[in-house]
Amino acid sequence: MVRSTLLGVGSHVPERVVTNDDLARLMTTSDEWIYQRSGIRERRFIERSGVGASDLGLPASRAAIADAGLRPEDIDAIVFATLSPDYFFPGSGCLLGDKLGLNGKPAIDIRNQCTGFLYALSVADGWIRTGLYRHVLVVGAEVHSTGLEFNDRGRDVAVLFGDGAGAVVMGPTADERRGLQSLCLHADGSGVKDLWCEGPASAYDPRVDEAMLAAGRHYPKMVGKHVFRWAIEKMPEVAIEAVERAGITLADVDLFIPHQANMRINQLVAARLELPDEKVVHNIEQFGNTTAATIPMALDRARREGRVKPDATLLFAAFGAGYTWGGAVLRL
Ligand code: ACO
């Protein structure tokens, strides 16, 4: 049986560092409030208008392709996960394909927010296992900073998010012990309005108007306590599901790489899974929540720090808007 496995990984963040104190100059907040509730100290924002998710995805993709020992032309397909695509349409995957010189190669966008990377991975996994495509580039990239409201009305959301990108190259392996051992995905639309960006919306005619803009309905809105409660229930649940489906136990997990939404969420999830801190990857302190990019960014960082051993068993779990959630076990 063919499985899909990780061939290369890369990441990229803009150079501009924005600290909690920088945000406190724009809204009534403080480093203490943000750090205590989220674990975030700073995040990266793009330096100028005109840089989209595909632009951040480009260097991350190049790094992942080089890490895989491949050239861009060896990539057979792109799966691009983002909630902040460069444009309403066409998708950022098409833009990235053009920037990589992959004109003619298929590209698909995945719009599953913080679970986007795992949904994207499932598409790559299916394509590879059926033999449709061999080398699939999976990208998670976000430019949040142009879509946040930097004032007191938007402060609950604005302090949490950052810009960044991560990418992996997936390819086939005939070694059943390697590669994706399980992938579990879920969605429940009953929580749509707990975390959403309402406009512009095709459900409205016109899609956006002065009243919507004045009310800030084109900025993300969140019922933070609801999101928190759902996340700490669903992330451990799906992590256990992924582990069981892979036929292993939590004790077999070498490294847990959760979506980086909030340090408190991830500490509670790790505690419920009884995973010690040395087996858990956190990078939210420096980058905030980069949504579809968090898992590949954290994987890349952990590997650079020497925390990802050859043959390691990795556990991923994510939860986000939709609601959507997912888990996966990957053996290197
Ligand atoms: N700075 C200072 N005060 C703020 C800020 C801010 N940035 N934002 C909100 N407040 C105020 C509120 O106005 C409110 O004031 P009030 O009590 O006078 O009305 C008060 O702080 C709320 O404080 P808490 O109840 O202590 O807030 P809470 O503990 O719920 O923390 C938080 C808020 C951090 C958003 C929390 O609910 C949370 O982490 N939720 C999960 C959300 C999340 O992680 N989303 C990420 C996207 S989804 C995902 O990736 C899973």
Side-chain angles (χ1 to χ4, degrees):
M1 187 174 73
V2 173
R3 286 192 192 277
S4 71
T5 196
L6 184 88
L7 303 181
V9 57
S11 63
H12 173 77
V13 287
E15 284 183 9
R16 184 177 154 212
V17 177
V18 177
T19 65
N20 292 344
D21 288 335
D22 292 332
L23 294 182
R25 285 188 270 278
L26 304 172
M27 60 189 85
T28 315
T29 192
S30 65
D31 178 52
E32 191 193 7
W33 193 98
I34 299 169
Y35 186 70
Q36 270 182 6
R37 283 169 182 76
S38 70
I40 299 166
R41 287 276 190 214
E42 59 188 42
R43 72 287 292 142
R44 302 295 182 95
F45 283 175
I46 57 166
E47 289 85 9
R48 58 176 178 83
S49 177
V51 175
S54 69
D55 297 304
L56 297 188
L58 182 62
S61 300
R62 285 193 173 130
I65 294 166
D67 185 47
L70 299 173
R71 294 161 304 167
E73 54 268 35
D74 298 322
I75 297 298
D76 300 308
I78 298 171
V79 190
F80 198 114
T82 185
L83 71 63
S84 51
D86 301 57
Y87 307 109
F88 210 74
F89 75 87
S92 293
C94 291
L95 276 69
L96 178 66
D98 182 43
K99 287 167 185 165
L100 283 168
L102 295 179
N103 308 79
K105 299 276 177 78
I108 184 175
D109 273 34
I110 299 286
R111 299 286 303 277
N112 282 63
Q113 303 69 249
C114 301
T115 321
F117 180 73
L118 295 183
Y119 271 82
L121 210 55
S122 78
V123 174
D125 183 54
W127 283 350
I128 291 165
R129 283 195 292 115
T130 57
L132 188 59
Y133 300 115
R134 187 171 169 78
H135 295 139
V136 182
L137 175 66
V138 181
V139 185
E142 306 285 357
V143 175
H144 282 302
S145 56
T146 50
L148 299 170
E149 191 175 20
F150 296 104
N151 58 31
D152 282 11
R153 186 173 64 183
R155 66 181 178 171
D156 60 327
V157 177
V159 300
L160 299 178
F161 292 93
D163 301 341
V168 299
V169 176
M170 299 295 289
T173 175
D175 182 350
E176 279 193 30
R177 290 163 306 171
R178 291 185 63 211
L180 266 174
Q181 305 291 311
S182 68
L183 219 163
C184 312
L185 302 173
H186 299 276
D188 181 341
S190 67
V192 163
K193 294 185 183 179
D194 282 350
L195 182 51
W196 72 326
C197 185
E198 194 184 350
S202 60
Y204 304 139
D205 188 6
R207 292 183 173 187
V208 64
D209 60 19
E210 289 298 330
M212 276 180 88
L213 293 175
R217 285 158 61 201
H218 58 304
Y219 291 117
K221 296 281 180 286
M222 178 176 74
V223 187
K225 285 191 189 340
H226 289 191
V227 177
F228 196 94
R229 274 201 296 273
W230 273 75
I232 59 169
E233 181 188 323
K234 295 301 179 191
M235 282 177 73
E237 204 175 280
V238 78
I240 290 167
E241 185 188 349
V243 159
E244 285 176 352
R245 207 181 279 182
I248 62 169
T249 69
L250 283 162
D252 299 318
V253 171
D254 296 309
L255 210 55
F256 176 42
I257 306 184
H259 164 56
Q260 309 284 311
N262 183 309
M263 187 63 148
R264 285 193 306 166
I265 292 177
N266 285 354
Q267 284 170 339
L268 280 166
V269 171
R272 286 195 183 180
L273 297 174
E274 296 180 9
L275 290 171
D277 215 39
E278 63 269 19
K279 284 193 173 188
V280 186
V281 178
H282 303 288
N283 69 4
I284 191 158
E285 185 170 342
Q286 282 170 293
F287 300 113
N289 182 346
T290 56
T291 307
T294 60
I295 291 178
M297 276 176 61
L299 172 61
D300 192 37
R301 163 67 73 90
R303 223 190 35 159
R304 283 169 201 278
E305 290 172 349
R307 296 180 69 190
V308 183
K309 305 284 180 242
D311 302 329
T313 298
L314 308 179
L315 172 64
F316 304 124
F319 180 85
Y323 290 116
T324 58
W325 61 102
V329 171
L330 175 73
R331 192 169 298 136
L332 299 180

mmCIF file of all heavy atoms in Angstrom, residues 272-291:
data_model
loop_
_atom_site.group_PDB
_atom_site.id
_atom_site.type_symbol
_atom_site.label_atom_id
_atom_site.label_comp_id
_atom_site.label_asym_id
_atom_site.label_seq_id
_atom_site.Cartn_x
_atom_site.Cartn_y
_atom_site.Cartn_z
ATOM 1 N N ARG A 272 -4.685 17.375 29.180
ATOM 2 C CA ARG A 272 -5.710 16.331 29.035
ATOM 3 C C ARG A 272 -5.148 15.089 28.363
ATOM 4 O O ARG A 272 -5.598 13.973 28.612
ATOM 5 C CB ARG A 272 -6.899 16.856 28.229
ATOM 6 C CG ARG A 272 -7.723 17.809 29.047
ATOM 7 C CD ARG A 272 -9.077 18.065 28.454
ATOM 8 N NE ARG A 272 -9.741 19.052 29.299
ATOM 9 C CZ ARG A 272 -10.956 19.522 29.086
ATOM 10 N NH1 ARG A 272 -11.645 19.103 28.055
ATOM 11 N NH2 ARG A 272 -11.478 20.417 29.897
ATOM 12 N N LEU A 273 -4.173 15.297 27.466
ATOM 13 C CA LEU A 273 -3.554 14.160 26.770
ATOM 14 C C LEU A 273 -2.401 13.581 27.582
ATOM 15 O O LEU A 273 -1.780 12.599 27.154
ATOM 16 C CB LEU A 273 -3.049 14.606 25.387
ATOM 17 C CG LEU A 273 -4.123 15.085 24.405
ATOM 18 C CD1 LEU A 273 -3.482 15.640 23.133
ATOM 19 C CD2 LEU A 273 -5.105 13.967 24.059
ATOM 20 N N GLU A 274 -2.119 14.217 28.719
ATOM 21 C CA GLU A 274 -1.006 13.806 29.591
ATOM 22 C C GLU A 274 0.312 13.756 28.833
ATOM 23 O O GLU A 274 1.120 12.838 28.998
ATOM 24 C CB GLU A 274 -1.319 12.465 30.271
ATOM 25 C CG GLU A 274 -2.521 12.580 31.208
ATOM 26 C CD GLU A 274 -2.858 11.263 31.909
ATOM 27 O OE1 GLU A 274 -2.082 10.313 31.814
ATOM 28 O OE2 GLU A 274 -3.914 11.226 32.562
ATOM 29 N N LEU A 275 0.514 14.761 27.951
ATOM 30 C CA LEU A 275 1.774 14.862 27.218
ATOM 31 C C LEU A 275 2.663 15.882 27.921
ATOM 32 O O LEU A 275 2.242 17.015 28.160
ATOM 33 C CB LEU A 275 1.517 15.310 25.770
ATOM 34 C CG LEU A 275 0.839 14.281 24.861
ATOM 35 C CD1 LEU A 275 0.442 14.909 23.529
ATOM 36 C CD2 LEU A 275 1.758 13.081 24.622
ATOM 37 N N PRO A 276 3.894 15.510 28.284
ATOM 38 C CA PRO A 276 4.779 16.442 28.977
ATOM 39 C C PRO A 276 5.211 17.584 28.054
ATOM 40 O O PRO A 276 5.199 17.428 26.827
ATOM 41 C CB PRO A 276 5.985 15.581 29.355
ATOM 42 C CG PRO A 276 5.966 14.440 28.390
ATOM 43 C CD PRO A 276 4.530 14.208 28.021
ATOM 44 N N ASP A 277 5.583 18.711 28.650
ATOM 45 C CA ASP A 277 5.885 19.909 27.868
ATOM 46 C C ASP A 277 6.988 19.687 26.830
ATOM 47 O O ASP A 277 6.954 20.283 25.757
ATOM 48 C CB ASP A 277 6.256 21.061 28.808
ATOM 49 C CG ASP A 277 5.761 22.375 28.244
ATOM 50 O OD1 ASP A 277 4.643 22.395 27.678
ATOM 51 O OD2 ASP A 277 6.514 23.366 28.310
ATOM 52 N N GLU A 278 7.954 18.804 27.159
ATOM 53 C CA GLU A 278 9.060 18.601 26.197
ATOM 54 C C GLU A 278 8.591 17.896 24.926
ATOM 55 O O GLU A 278 9.310 17.866 23.927
ATOM 56 C CB GLU A 278 10.238 17.849 26.836
ATOM 57 C CG GLU A 278 9.956 16.440 27.312
ATOM 58 C CD GLU A 278 9.509 16.392 28.780
ATOM 59 O OE1 GLU A 278 9.079 17.434 29.309
ATOM 60 O OE2 GLU A 278 9.584 15.295 29.370
ATOM 61 N N LYS A 279 7.348 17.366 24.946
ATOM 62 C CA LYS A 279 6.817 16.727 23.734
ATOM 63 C C LYS A 279 5.847 17.645 22.983
ATOM 64 O O LYS A 279 5.190 17.223 22.038
ATOM 65 C CB LYS A 279 6.093 15.424 24.105
ATOM 66 C CG LYS A 279 7.027 14.280 24.442
ATOM 67 C CD LYS A 279 6.245 12.978 24.476
ATOM 68 C CE LYS A 279 7.169 11.789 24.639
ATOM 69 N NZ LYS A 279 6.433 10.527 24.492
ATOM 70 N N VAL A 280 5.711 18.884 23.435
ATOM 71 C CA VAL A 280 4.730 19.786 22.829
ATOM 72 C C VAL A 280 5.455 20.995 22.223
ATOM 73 O O VAL A 280 6.362 21.557 22.842
ATOM 74 C CB VAL A 280 3.706 20.280 23.877
ATOM 75 C CG1 VAL A 280 2.601 21.095 23.210
ATOM 76 C CG2 VAL A 280 3.102 19.095 24.631
ATOM 77 N N VAL A 281 5.047 21.361 21.009
ATOM 78 C CA VAL A 281 5.673 22.497 20.329
ATOM 79 C C VAL A 281 4.802 23.739 20.495
ATOM 80 O O VAL A 281 3.612 23.716 20.166
ATOM 81 C CB VAL A 281 5.890 22.195 18.830
ATOM 82 C CG1 VAL A 281 6.507 23.397 18.131
ATOM 83 C CG2 VAL A 281 6.771 20.967 18.657
ATOM 84 N N HIS A 282 5.396 24.810 21.009
ATOM 85 C CA HIS A 282 4.716 26.100 21.116
ATOM 86 C C HIS A 282 5.564 27.139 20.380
ATOM 87 O O HIS A 282 6.780 27.192 20.591
ATOM 88 C CB HIS A 282 4.628 26.577 22.572
ATOM 89 C CG HIS A 282 3.950 25.623 23.504
ATOM 90 N ND1 HIS A 282 2.592 25.400 23.480
ATOM 91 C CD2 HIS A 282 4.440 24.848 24.498
ATOM 92 C CE1 HIS A 282 2.280 24.518 24.430
ATOM 93 N NE2 HIS A 282 3.383 24.170 25.059
ATOM 94 N N ASN A 283 4.950 27.960 19.551
ATOM 95 C CA ASN A 283 5.688 29.121 19.022
ATOM 96 C C ASN A 283 4.806 30.367 18.993
ATOM 97 O O ASN A 283 5.137 31.364 18.372
ATOM 98 C CB ASN A 283 6.293 28.837 17.639
ATOM 99 C CG ASN A 283 5.247 28.697 16.552
ATOM 100 O OD1 ASN A 283 4.059 28.876 16.794
ATOM 101 N ND2 ASN A 283 5.673 28.386 15.349
ATOM 102 N N ILE A 284 3.670 30.262 19.711
ATOM 103 C CA ILE A 284 2.703 31.365 19.671
ATOM 104 C C ILE A 284 3.274 32.639 20.281
ATOM 105 O O ILE A 284 2.898 33.752 19.877
ATOM 106 C CB ILE A 284 1.380 30.957 20.364
ATOM 107 C CG1 ILE A 284 0.313 32.012 20.072
ATOM 108 C CG2 ILE A 284 1.556 30.736 21.861
ATOM 109 C CD1 ILE A 284 -1.087 31.559 20.218
ATOM 110 N N GLU A 285 4.209 32.491 21.219
ATOM 111 C CA GLU A 285 4.777 33.660 21.891
ATOM 112 C C GLU A 285 5.361 34.647 20.868
ATOM 113 O O GLU A 285 5.206 35.849 20.995
ATOM 114 C CB GLU A 285 5.853 33.187 22.872
ATOM 115 C CG GLU A 285 6.409 34.313 23.710
ATOM 116 C CD GLU A 285 7.286 33.808 24.851
ATOM 117 O OE1 GLU A 285 7.206 32.625 25.201
ATOM 118 O OE2 GLU A 285 8.050 34.625 25.379
ATOM 119 N N GLN A 286 6.000 34.105 19.823
ATOM 120 C CA GLN A 286 6.671 34.969 18.842
ATOM 121 C C GLN A 286 5.850 35.282 17.604
ATOM 122 O O GLN A 286 6.134 36.262 16.922
ATOM 123 C CB GLN A 286 7.946 34.285 18.356
ATOM 124 C CG GLN A 286 9.080 34.383 19.335
ATOM 125 C CD GLN A 286 10.194 33.485 18.870
ATOM 126 O OE1 GLN A 286 10.051 32.274 18.853
ATOM 127 N NE2 GLN A 286 11.285 34.092 18.467
ATOM 128 N N PHE A 287 4.872 34.431 17.287
ATOM 129 C CA PHE A 287 4.198 34.617 15.998
ATOM 130 C C PHE A 287 2.690 34.814 16.086
ATOM 131 O O PHE A 287 2.055 35.094 15.077
ATOM 132 C CB PHE A 287 4.497 33.418 15.079
ATOM 133 C CG PHE A 287 5.964 33.248 14.805
ATOM 134 C CD1 PHE A 287 6.660 32.158 15.277
ATOM 135 C CD2 PHE A 287 6.665 34.216 14.099
ATOM 136 C CE1 PHE A 287 8.014 32.014 15.050
ATOM 137 C CE2 PHE A 287 8.021 34.093 13.862
ATOM 138 C CZ PHE A 287 8.699 32.985 14.348
ATOM 139 N N GLY A 288 2.102 34.647 17.274
ATOM 140 C CA GLY A 288 0.653 34.745 17.380
ATOM 141 C C GLY A 288 -0.012 33.616 16.613
ATOM 142 O O GLY A 288 0.617 32.605 16.276
ATOM 143 N N ASN A 289 -1.290 33.810 16.318
ATOM 144 C CA ASN A 289 -2.060 32.801 15.590
ATOM 145 C C ASN A 289 -1.956 33.093 14.094
ATOM 146 O O ASN A 289 -2.501 34.082 13.612
ATOM 147 C CB ASN A 289 -3.516 32.859 16.067
ATOM 148 C CG ASN A 289 -4.403 31.818 15.411
ATOM 149 O OD1 ASN A 289 -4.031 31.207 14.410
ATOM 150 N ND2 ASN A 289 -5.584 31.621 15.975
ATOM 151 N N THR A 290 -1.248 32.235 13.372
ATOM 152 C CA THR A 290 -1.136 32.407 11.917
ATOM 153 C C THR A 290 -2.043 31.393 11.189
ATOM 154 O O THR A 290 -1.804 31.072 10.020
ATOM 155 C CB THR A 290 0.321 32.247 11.439
ATOM 156 O OG1 THR A 290 0.807 30.965 11.874
ATOM 157 C CG2 THR A 290 1.220 33.337 11.994
ATOM 158 N N THR A 291 -3.035 30.889 11.900
ATOM 159 C CA THR A 291 -4.152 30.123 11.327
ATOM 160 C C THR A 291 -3.683 28.925 10.483
ATOM 161 O O THR A 291 -3.091 28.020 11.037
ATOM 162 C CB THR A 291 -5.086 31.102 10.600
ATOM 163 O OG1 THR A 291 -5.405 32.123 11.563
ATOM 164 C CG2 THR A 291 -6.395 30.499 10.170
#
